[in-house]
Amino acid sequence: MNLALPPAVKKPAFMAGAVVFCSSLLVQAVLLADYCLHSPFYSGLICDSKVYYKWASAIIAGDWFGGEVFHQAPLYPYFIALLWLAAGKGYFVIYAAQALLLACSCLLAFLVGKRYFNTGTGLAAGLLCAFYGTLNFYALKILPDIAGVFLHLLLAWLLLRAGKERQWAAAGFVWGLLVIARPHALLLAPMLLAWAAFLQAGEPVTLRKIWRGLRLFAVFILPAAALAGLVALRNFAIEPDLVIISCNGGENFYMGNNPKAGGIYCRMEGISPDIEHQKEDVKAAAESAAGRKLTRAGVSAYWRDRGFEFIRGNFPAYLRLEMLKLKRIFSGTEYTNMYFTWFEKPLFTRTLSIPAAGFYLVLPMAAIGAILLAGRWRQLALLHIMILLGIVNMLVFYVDERYRLPMIPFMIILGAGGMFRLYEILRSPATPRVRKLAALAAAAGALAATYHMARTEPARLEVEPQLYYNLGEVYFEQGEYRRALETFYHSSRLAANNWESAVGVSKTLFAMGRPEAAARLYLQAFPHLERELQESFLRDRDLDGLRAYIASQDKQN
């Protein structure tokens, strides 16, 4: 599917691919060394990272089947467990594997760009991916996002090369893995069906080609259905109800579509903010409302129906919410609820300044590519589909930097193709002057329309207290109580009435041998907490000793 743009780089494709791959590995090697030496988050895990690490640890300890319906997508913890079986358990094994996955992802971006355009475009796309800050940042996190990026790109590469049925089957197998890793990839089914039947290779549509496309799509979907079916059967064996991959889809849908939603992650009333307890809380709340016991599928359906109830009853508000999501999808603000580049880079991992490419660069480039290559939309349909998947996912659920990552390489490829197209138009003596001016005007318009939006800075004051609280928890778990105390104090000073951080201070004081001060502060802070936080702290085993001390003092009095 080469669009025959003139080659801009006259080196062999192999050398260009090697440059991309090695550049990514070199960047990751520098970042990982810095991260290992200086960041407490290297081994101090929070939120989902902690859950995945514990899950993988349980798998290699022998609990490979599990005793509950999957609450989160299962591929990533099993991937970690396989890594540990092969190379030994440890944090470095995970980070090194993800560095390799990112390098392979950059290589795949090069190959897709070369396939669509030329070696020069592929080289530019691959290097931009290698130096894209957020991709490198999440390669340093124990989260499934880089594995997801790799599978998205591998799927696109295999589909572009697919001609024979076995090639379509191989692509379908990768799609199945992607669905088990990131269940939102099921949204690809209707998009890829349309692509296979009507848009593949940009060829004219005939009944014969439609029929051939449908037959190949059937071959494609079989291995994916088999993989997803195995997970669904496993879930059914534990609880007789249909959960195809994981059962958190309903609650995630409600998080993004409720009266208090703002287009990004928001806490659910009555639900613990701690991911380790959310699955129990969403079940308890759903069963309380239903007045009966529910299966995990029933719990997910309850929250899904709550989301649709909001949409039906507040449709104008829902439309405004979707417009807000769309605005935030294309914003430079780092919307997420766990790890932030701007927080960690100046404090711990300063080498994150090396991969300096960001959304401020990618969005204008992609807009220029979309305009200048609009006449070739049929040939580029798969590229647009992979971008559209990310947009639809966030519109259906909510906006998060992690959910935007898989579409970034495809935006980069589109943008690189657009820039080379602009270069071709401007350098060709055969191009009329009017066309050159029109191309420059289109590029300038795209730049003006998107650059300011992509440069938006995060509202740091809203999240900074929570980030310092999380950091305090990391220091506490690592036994660095003095640092934990300083960090909890700093978090409490960043926001008025920050009673959550006060509880952190109290348990740290107790661990440092100051039980009286710890007890006074805990008793002062706890009544001021929201109910969800109270429930979360009551489950915190680190506070058991302090609570036992308070109880013993009450008995003495």
Side-chain angles (χ1 to χ4, degrees):
M1 193 181 292
N2 197 304
L3 300 188
L5 295 183
V9 178
K10 297 182 179 180
K11 292 183 178 180
F14 176 83
M15 290 300 296
V19 167
V20 168
F21 185 81
C22 293
S23 296
S24 178
L25 275 186
L26 179 61
V27 171
Q28 270 296 297
V30 173
L31 293 181
L32 184 51
D34 190 13
Y35 193 64
C36 175
L37 292 172
H38 301 119
S39 177
F41 292 108
Y42 176 83
S43 58
L45 307 181
I46 62 171
C47 304
D48 292 43
S49 297
K50 186 186 294 185
V51 172
Y52 286 122
Y53 192 90
K54 289 182 177 179
W55 190 351
S57 298
I59 292 169
I60 63 164
D63 188 17
W64 63 272
F65 193 75
E68 296 180 337
V69 171
F70 290 137
H71 182 247
Q72 293 175 280
L75 184 68
Y76 185 64
Y78 281 90
F79 168 69
I80 295 175
L82 285 175
L83 286 176
W84 285 345
L85 287 173
K89 185 177 180 180
Y91 296 102
F92 183 79
V93 174
I94 303 172
Y95 296 129
Q98 291 186 167
L100 184 60
L101 281 179
L102 180 57
C104 291
S105 299
C106 296
L107 179 59
L108 285 167
F110 160 75
L111 293 172
V112 173
K114 176 178 175 293
R115 181 87 176 184
Y116 268 130
F117 303 105
N118 53 49
T119 300
T121 302
L123 179 62
L127 288 176
L128 270 173
C129 286
F131 285 91
Y132 190 81
T134 315
L135 285 171
N136 282 278
F137 179 67
Y138 278 99
L140 301 174
K141 303 302 173 189
I142 299 180
L143 292 168
D145 303 294
I146 294 303
V149 169
F150 170 74
L151 290 172
H152 279 82
L153 283 162
L154 181 59
L155 173 61
W157 169 238
L158 292 174
L159 285 172
L160 285 176
R161 299 178 69 247
K164 299 179 180 179
E165 290 186 355
R166 66 173 180 271
Q167 293 172 316
W168 279 87
F173 181 81
V174 171
W175 183 41
L177 293 177
L178 177 58
V179 167
I180 299 173
R182 310 298 283 171
H184 77 270
L186 285 168
L187 295 169
L188 275 173
M191 302 180 196
L192 292 180
L193 174 60
W195 179 76
F198 301 105
L199 299 172
Q200 188 190 165
E203 299 173 353
V205 178
T206 64
L207 286 176
R208 184 176 180 180
K209 288 179 179 176
I210 291 173
W211 174 248
R212 179 177 180 273
L214 292 174
R215 180 169 53 82
L216 291 173
F217 183 78
V219 173
F220 167 76
I221 207 170
L222 280 175
L227 287 173
L230 287 173
V231 179
L233 283 173
R234 179 262 177 205
N235 286 333
F236 190 85
I238 291 174
E239 191 173 71
D241 208 341
L242 179 61
V243 175
I244 298 176
I245 303 296
S246 57
C247 62
N248 64 344
E251 67 204 61
N252 284 338
F253 180 71
Y254 181 72
M255 282 181 192
N257 302 277
N258 66 75
K260 296 182 179 180
I264 57 178
Y265 170 85
C266 69
R267 290 180 179 177
M268 298 164 64
E269 187 175 346
I271 307 301
S272 171
D274 189 338
I275 184 65
E276 292 188 83
H277 305 304
Q278 279 180 11
K279 63 181 178 181
E280 289 85 10
D281 287 356
V282 294
K283 190 174 191 296
E287 289 178 341
S288 176
R292 57 188 173 86
K293 290 288 185 181
L294 295 173
T295 63
R296 282 293 175 183
V299 172
S300 184
Y302 167 80
W303 292 108
R304 180 199 64 211
D305 292 344
R306 285 278 305 274
F308 280 120
E309 181 183 329
F310 160 73
I311 294 171
R312 288 191 300 268
N314 305 272
F315 196 69
Y318 169 70
L319 289 179
R320 289 193 296 271
L321 175 62
E322 291 301 286
M323 292 303 296
L324 179 59
K325 289 179 185 178
L326 198 61
K327 176 184 175 182
R328 288 181 162 176
I329 288 171
F330 295 106
S331 166
T333 301
E334 194 176 7
Y335 292 113
T336 186
N337 67 321
M338 280 185 277
Y339 299 104
F340 289 79
T341 311
W342 58 262
F343 179 73
E344 295 189 37
K345 180 162 57 176
L347 289 177
F348 308 116
T349 317
R350 296 179 184 273
T351 50
L352 281 168
S353 300
I354 295 172
F359 203 63
Y360 68 90
L361 177 64
V362 170
L363 181 60
M365 282 181 57
I368 291 170
I371 293 171
L372 296 184
L373 299 171
R376 299 172 177 179
W377 69 271
R378 289 178 62 85
Q379 296 99 317
L380 297 171
L382 185 60
L383 202 59
H384 291 298
I385 284 171
M386 302 306 284
I387 296 172
L388 182 62
L389 172 65
I391 296 171
V392 171
N393 177 42
M394 288 183 278
L395 289 176
V396 170
F397 296 99
Y398 54 85
V399 179
D400 192 289
E401 188 67 30
R402 295 171 56 203
Y403 301 161
R404 188 165 68 177
L405 277 187
M407 61 189 265
I408 293 297
F410 299 100
M411 292 178 68
I412 288 174
I413 295 166
L414 180 63
M419 298 306 293
F420 272 90
R421 178 61 180 154
L422 178 62
Y423 172 73
E424 178 199 41
I425 291 171
L426 296 179
R427 74 183 288 272
S428 174
T431 304
R433 182 167 181 168
V434 172
R435 190 177 178 190
K436 291 182 179 181
L437 291 174
L440 281 174
L447 184 64
T450 58
Y451 182 76
H452 175 72
M453 182 167 55
R455 286 289 296 178
T456 304
E457 291 298 323
R460 299 185 180 186
L461 291 178
E462 297 177 10
V463 296
E464 221 170 357
Q466 184 63 49
L467 297 183
Y468 275 101
Y469 174 82
N470 292 342
L471 178 58
E473 287 285 347
V474 167
Y475 283 138
F476 183 88
E477 291 185 5
Q478 293 174 341
E480 298 190 42
Y481 297 131
R482 188 163 297 281
R483 283 187 174 182
L485 190 65
E486 293 171 357
T487 307
F488 283 133
Y489 271 131
H490 185 66
S491 173
S492 67
R493 289 192 293 267
L494 290 173
N497 300 319
N498 188 350
W499 298 107
E500 183 180 9
S501 295
V503 174
V505 170
S506 70
K507 74 176 183 180
T508 307
L509 288 173
F510 185 80
M512 294 174 71
R514 298 169 60 186
E516 293 182 3
R520 284 197 302 270
L521 184 56
Y522 179 83
L523 291 172
Q524 179 187 2
F526 191 81
H528 294 282
L529 295 170
E530 299 174 3
R531 184 167 64 89
E532 296 83 5
L533 287 175
Q534 288 183 344
E535 293 292 333
S536 181
F537 280 125
L538 288 174
R539 292 161 165 163
D540 188 348
R541 301 278 73 87
D542 293 331
L543 287 163
D544 284 351
L546 175 56
R547 282 191 286 262
Y549 172 81
I550 293 172
S552 68
Q553 294 300 302
D554 289 342
K555 286 181 180 179
Q556 291 178 11
N557 297 330

